Amino acid sequence: MNRTDQLLGNPLKFQSELETVLCSGFELSSAALVKKALSLALGVEHTESIRPRGIEVAATLMKLNADAQTIQATLLSEPRLRESLEHSFIEEHFGATIANLVKNINWLNTFGAYSKDVINVPEQAETLRQMLVAMVDDVRAVIVKLAYRIQRLRNLPGEEYEMRLYIARETLDIYAPLASRLGIGQLKWELEDLAFRYLEPRIYKTLANSLTENRADRENYLGKFIDHIQNLLESEGIKADVYGRPKHIYSIWRKMRRKQVGFNELYDIRAIRILVKKLSTCYEVLGLVHGHWQYIPKEFDDYIANPKSNGYQSLHTVVAGSEGALVEIQIRTHEMDQFSEMGVAAHWRYKEGGNRNAAVEKSIGSLRNFLESKKSDEGLVEDFRTELYSDRIFVLTPDGELKNLIEGATPLDFAYAIHTEVGHRCRGAKVNGRIVNLAYTLKSGEQIEILTSKDGGPNRSWLNPHMGYLKTHTALNKVRAWFRQQDHEKNLHDGKGILEKERQRLGIQDLNIDDLLKRFRLSRQEELFIRIGRGDINSIQVANALDIPELSKNMLPVKAPKAKQEKDRIQVQGIGNMLTTFPKCCQPVPGDSIIGYITMGKGVTIHQRECSNILSLPLEKQGRLVEVDWGHEDELFSVKIHVEAIDRQGLLKDITQILSNAHVNIIDADIHTNKDDLLVHMNLTIEIRNAGELRQVLAGINQLHNILEARREN
């Protein structure tokens, strides 16, 4: 038993010494408030069998270098104080920040949305993790909750068997991944190992025994190996930190399962890390290591020259030491090592395959800086508070199932997120038991009940953006699809009529439907007629697709007359029909702010005002700039867009559906998928009417699942 455990065993007896431990490193004013909070926590009756949970958690957080406010709030969140300590009292004696933090901690400690249903649905576990962070406005509450979970696991042997399994499973599903995402490695490893110990006791014991049996020999071997490397580096004048890496049972088990190998076949049971000052020194050290020991080529990875997608950089190699023992060696700079610790957001995505999100990555980095500082930094806390999941809300069904929606979503959006038919038959909604308007803006934590009718369908007013009924693109698409389906017979009839008129207008005797189906990549005539009837395929596309053999036999091919071009619409200082050209540098479209440049022989070239060529124009040439503006005709303009995404089934279909719904044509597409990291890069050329339409299309694509970025290509 260490000294901290002795103090916690009888906190009243050792109050003075506990004060010293919990106030270490704090300024006098902050330390005084910690002592005051400790006195309140000690005011609750404790026994040796029922230890002071809040004090024990505070001691754990001190090892994380937590700030004074976090320690105060942890002590004041002692479970036995929850009913007796009023919010107003905490605010009066400790301030509004501490009172709010205690409120958040108590909410997390009493939150009980985890269930067996969550165990069987991984997406629910992910949503619950996000909700736990989004529902508190001070992220330090989540850190305290994780420390409380550590304390709960440490005391779990006294619980009943079913409760032990429940707590352990919840820990691995919810809290260990959350600790990983927050970059708190110390808590992550202990959460995983303790939970694994209860879930798989026999496997845990076997691996623990395997580590224990050979620990002395392994540590002795690594000690000699490290001494050998340090002597080798010193002989070359290289200064480096060399140390062994601790092994964790849960991570060993996961690696054994992933690689389908036995314990003794793992390379990194014996593992060391070498930290140097400069990047070039990494390769110098690698050369010395490979020159001194035989290395295994297939186990060598250069993540410095080729960083992982999350930005991780390091050299990894496995060498055969004396007696043929394999040792894994990681070589990196101190900065790279710091990034691997602070940039944990990228690390967990690599491990778990989640989406990248710049706001989360910035927030996690800010959190790590905050954890490493003894001083409270309100700016960092505020960054996390405003950026993390700021564009999402988390709401519950009457059965406690979580739904993750965009900020501003309505009960009608929620209904469609439950099921398409629930959305179609929705006639009302209750939020926390109170009937609300279907355009009501939902808030995180609310419980929604949808009121439905047996028959009926959507109302066309739901599609009116000014009414505010629907905010999610998915729900809007479902409503549009319903109305398209209802108009099936009408579209079928109209499509046949349009096609027949085009046939007669072009003088085609025999219409080859099969050629048209191939041209539009359709399988059924009925589908072709319906798409023509509802305007997905317009009459111009039909005319261009029709083959006219009579003409091709007797006439030379001629170019079709061009539609009115962009330059025909431009007005130069109020005058139209002047010679204008569009250079490839910035590709302006209607809605962009534009300016003209008078050239020699090419008329006026039209640029965006922010075009780099315009901004860098020499002073002597700026006199050639003239004011220009767009005309008012509704013409189409070609624009290149770039989409980056993580590959999934139906991705391209969803993107083209958005473009189709916006009546935007794709005139060129270049798509590339990297099989190693499943990243998809799409370069699409589309026809749009103005910049507003372009923004709408990009916003719709960006809302799709697995989309990393959709932007205009400049």
Side-chain angles (χ1 to χ4, degrees):
M1 180 183 291
N2 60 37
R3 184 56 179 163
T4 302
D5 285 334
Q6 291 176 337
L7 300 179
L8 293 170
N10 196 337
L12 285 172
K13 179 180 178 181
F14 299 109
Q15 180 172 352
S16 178
E17 196 169 343
L18 269 175
E19 288 177 353
T20 302
V21 171
L22 297 177
C23 294
S24 176
F26 298 139
E27 297 176 356
L28 290 177
S29 58
S30 297
L33 289 173
V34 171
K35 291 179 182 179
K36 190 173 183 178
L38 177 61
S39 296
L40 287 168
L42 289 172
V44 182
E45 183 180 353
H46 299 291
T47 66
E48 289 200 20
S49 61
I50 304 177
R51 292 163 64 120
R53 294 177 62 187
I55 301 174
E56 188 173 351
V57 171
T60 298
L61 290 169
M62 286 299 293
K63 297 175 184 177
L64 292 176
N65 205 21
D67 66 296
Q69 288 187 336
T70 300
I71 300 301
Q72 294 165 39
T74 304
L75 294 169
L76 295 171
S77 65
E78 165 65 42
R80 292 191 191 92
L81 284 174
R82 194 177 296 144
E83 299 300 326
S84 59
L85 205 58
E86 296 289 340
H87 182 87
S88 57
F89 176 87
I90 300 174
E91 188 170 4
E92 179 183 351
H93 292 274
F94 294 89
T97 299
I98 301 298
N100 189 58
L101 188 49
V102 172
K103 177 184 175 183
N104 284 331
I105 295 169
N106 287 335
W107 183 86
L108 288 171
N109 279 339
T110 56
F111 182 74
Y114 185 81
S115 65
K116 291 182 179 179
D117 293 334
V118 174
I119 296 175
N120 298 322
V121 185
E123 294 81 4
Q124 279 288 291
E126 165 61 13
T127 304
L128 182 53
R129 284 194 292 264
Q130 293 178 353
M131 181 179 180
L132 288 175
V133 177
M135 281 297 293
V136 296
D137 55 9
D138 191 329
V139 76
R140 290 174 294 181
V142 180
I143 303 168
V144 176
K145 172 60 183 177
L146 294 174
Y148 262 105
R149 179 46 59 105
I150 288 284
Q151 184 267 347
R152 183 89 162 87
L153 288 165
R154 289 171 181 168
N155 298 327
L156 208 52
E159 303 274 4
E160 293 181 358
Y161 174 75
E162 289 296 330
M163 180 56 71
R164 291 202 301 269
L165 290 184
Y166 177 86
I167 294 298
R169 185 75 263 169
E170 183 185 39
T171 299
L172 279 186
D173 279 351
I174 306 299
Y175 296 108
L178 196 55
S180 175
R181 296 181 185 207
L182 296 180
I184 313 171
Q186 293 180 47
L187 295 185
K188 174 184 181 292
W189 296 122
E190 189 169 1
L191 286 167
E192 289 180 341
D193 280 0
L194 286 173
F196 184 60
R197 180 180 180 180
Y198 296 117
L199 289 172
E200 300 288 351
R202 284 189 296 178
I203 298 175
Y204 181 92
K205 188 174 181 179
T206 300
L207 292 175
N209 289 338
S210 298
L211 286 171
T212 303
E213 286 172 4
N214 303 310
R215 177 171 294 169
D217 291 340
R218 189 170 60 252
E219 290 179 351
N220 182 53
Y221 183 91
L222 279 180
K224 292 179 180 178
F225 194 89
I226 289 171
D227 289 340
H228 195 156
I229 282 187
Q230 285 178 327
N231 292 333
L232 179 65
L233 297 178
E234 288 174 5
S235 68
E236 297 293 330
I238 298 174
K239 292 183 179 181
D241 293 330
V242 187
Y243 56 89
R245 293 193 295 115
K247 304 312 299 175
H248 301 281
I249 292 176
Y250 182 69
S251 66
I252 290 173
W253 175 75
R254 286 185 65 186
K255 186 167 290 187
M256 288 171 58
R257 216 170 51 152
R258 187 170 68 251
K259 294 192 172 185
Q260 296 294 304
V261 297
F263 178 83
N264 293 324
E265 297 176 81
L266 292 177
Y267 292 138
D268 59 351
I269 293 299
R270 289 174 292 270
I272 67 170
R273 184 170 292 161
I274 303 174
L275 303 182
V276 296
K277 289 185 177 181
K278 297 189 299 182
L279 185 150
S280 59
T281 311
C282 293
Y283 290 97
E284 190 176 350
V285 171
L286 179 69
L288 289 172
V289 169
H290 283 182
H292 202 77
W293 290 281
Q294 180 65 39
Y295 74 98
I296 301 175
K298 69 175 183 178
E299 294 299 324
F300 170 68
D301 290 298
D302 185 349
Y303 294 119
I304 294 179
N306 302 290
K308 293 181 180 180
S309 59
N310 56 24
Y312 173 88
Q313 289 184 294
S314 183
L315 297 175
H316 291 191
T317 190
V318 175
V319 301
S322 59
E323 303 173 7
L326 298 175
V327 181
E328 184 198 60
I329 302 175
Q330 295 180 353
I331 307 168
R332 63 181 69 157
T333 66
H334 292 279
E335 289 75 15
M336 293 173 190
D337 191 59
Q338 186 180 34
F339 177 83
S340 72
E341 295 298 321
M342 293 182 65
V344 237
H347 181 67
W348 67 251
R349 285 188 183 87
Y350 166 71
K351 290 287 188 184
E352 300 176 16
N355 287 353
R356 290 183 294 175
N357 184 295
V360 176
E361 291 174 1
K362 180 180 177 182
S363 299
I364 302 291
S366 297
L367 174 66
R368 286 294 294 170
N369 286 329
F370 177 75
L371 286 173
E372 293 182 357
S373 172
K374 279 285 184 183
K375 297 179 180 179
S376 176
D377 189 331
E378 293 295 335
L380 292 177
V381 175
E382 187 61 30
D383 282 347
F384 201 101
R385 183 180 302 165
T386 56
E387 291 179 15
L388 189 59
Y389 305 122
S390 60
D391 59 345
R392 310 298 299 178
I393 61 167
F394 304 88
V395 290
L396 297 96
T397 68
D399 296 329
E401 182 184 358
L402 285 162
K403 291 295 177 183
N404 180 347
L405 300 171
I406 63 169
E407 187 178 32
T410 67
L412 201 51
D413 288 306
F414 175 84
Y416 277 105
I418 297 296
H419 193 277
T420 301
E421 283 304 312
V422 175
H424 289 343
R425 294 186 289 109
C426 176
R427 292 298 176 267
K430 290 183 179 180
V431 173
N432 295 337
R434 179 174 57 89
I435 292 180
V436 298
N437 187 287
L438 287 180
Y440 171 84
T441 300
L442 298 175
K443 304 177 188 64
S444 282
E446 291 179 328
Q447 189 173 63
I448 295 88
E449 179 185 354
I450 298 300
L451 308 176
T452 59
S453 63
K454 291 184 179 180
D455 303 306
N459 190 306
R460 286 195 181 271
S461 65
W462 293 358
L463 295 173
N464 187 337
H466 300 295
M467 301 294 287
Y469 285 117
L470 291 171
K471 298 294 174 62
T472 61
H473 198 82
T474 301
L476 284 165
N477 279 342
K478 289 179 178 180
V479 175
R480 292 188 184 108
W482 188 89
F483 282 111
R484 283 200 300 268
Q485 184 63 33
Q486 302 311 302
D487 296 334
H488 178 277
E489 292 301 325
K490 182 178 184 298
N491 290 332
L492 183 64
H493 178 270
D494 291 348
K496 288 180 179 179
I498 292 170
L499 188 58
E500 177 61 20
K501 285 180 181 178
E502 289 301 316
R503 184 193 70 77
Q504 293 178 4
R505 185 178 69 83
L506 296 172
I508 299 173
Q509 300 300 318
D510 298 315
L511 192 64
N512 193 327
I513 295 292
D514 289 337
D515 285 348
L516 284 177
L517 292 175
K518 290 179 183 179
R519 175 68 178 267
F520 293 110
R521 297 181 181 180
L522 300 174
S523 57
R524 297 182 300 113
Q525 289 188 31
E526 184 182 60
E527 188 176 1
L528 173 66
F529 297 146
I530 290 171
R531 290 199 178 192
I532 295 173
R534 70 182 181 220
D536 291 346
I537 300 174
N538 60 43
S539 58
I540 296 175
Q541 290 173 301
V542 172
N544 290 337
L546 292 174
D547 186 24
I548 310 175
E550 292 84 353
L551 295 182
S552 60
K553 289 178 182 177
N554 303 308
M555 299 180 64
L556 292 174
V558 295
K559 291 184 179 180
K562 291 185 178 180
K564 202 168 187 180
Q565 300 295 311
E566 295 98 324
K567 63 184 180 180
D568 296 322
R569 303 180 54 197
I570 297 294
Q571 292 196 350
V572 180
Q573 292 186 340
I575 302 172
N577 298 321
M578 294 188 68
L579 177 60
T580 57
T581 57
F582 285 75
K584 295 181 179 180
C585 53
C586 58
Q587 294 183 318
V589 297
D592 288 341
S593 178
I594 55 175
I595 195 166
Y597 177 74
I598 301 173
T599 66
M600 302 298 291
K602 293 183 179 180
V604 179
T605 57
I606 309 302
H607 299 259
Q608 293 187 46
R609 287 185 181 270
E610 299 82 8
C611 176
S612 57
N613 287 337
I614 294 297
L615 295 176
S616 61
L617 202 63
L619 185 62
E620 64 272 14
K621 292 187 178 182
Q622 291 180 11
R624 296 189 184 182
L625 295 175
V626 293
E627 290 297 323
V628 297
D629 58 42
W630 297 100
H632 304 291
E633 295 180 30
D634 189 16
E635 302 290 342
L636 293 176
F637 296 78
S638 63
V639 171
K640 293 181 179 179
I641 64 172
H642 178 77
V643 180
E644 184 179 354
I646 298 173
D647 198 16
R648 64 171 172 83
Q649 188 174 4
L651 177 66
L652 183 59
K653 176 186 174 183
D654 290 346
I655 293 173
T656 54
Q657 185 66 51
I658 286 176
L659 295 172
S660 175
N661 289 339
H663 302 292
V664 171
N665 295 325
I666 302 175
I667 58 177
D668 189 36
D670 180 26
I671 303 172
H672 174 70
T673 303
N674 188 321
K675 294 182 179 180
D676 294 330
D677 56 12
L678 295 179
L679 280 181
V680 182
H681 293 274
M682 302 183 186
N683 293 309
L684 308 176
T685 303
I686 62 174
E687 290 181 326
I688 53 96
R689 292 167 181 80
N690 51 56
E693 186 173 66
L694 177 61
R695 284 193 293 270
Q696 180 185 356
V697 166
L698 292 176
I701 296 175
N702 273 311
Q703 285 187 20
L704 291 175
H705 179 55
N706 277 26
I707 294 293
L708 301 178
E709 183 184 31
R711 57 178 169 78
R712 179 180 177 182
E713 189 73 70
N714 290 322

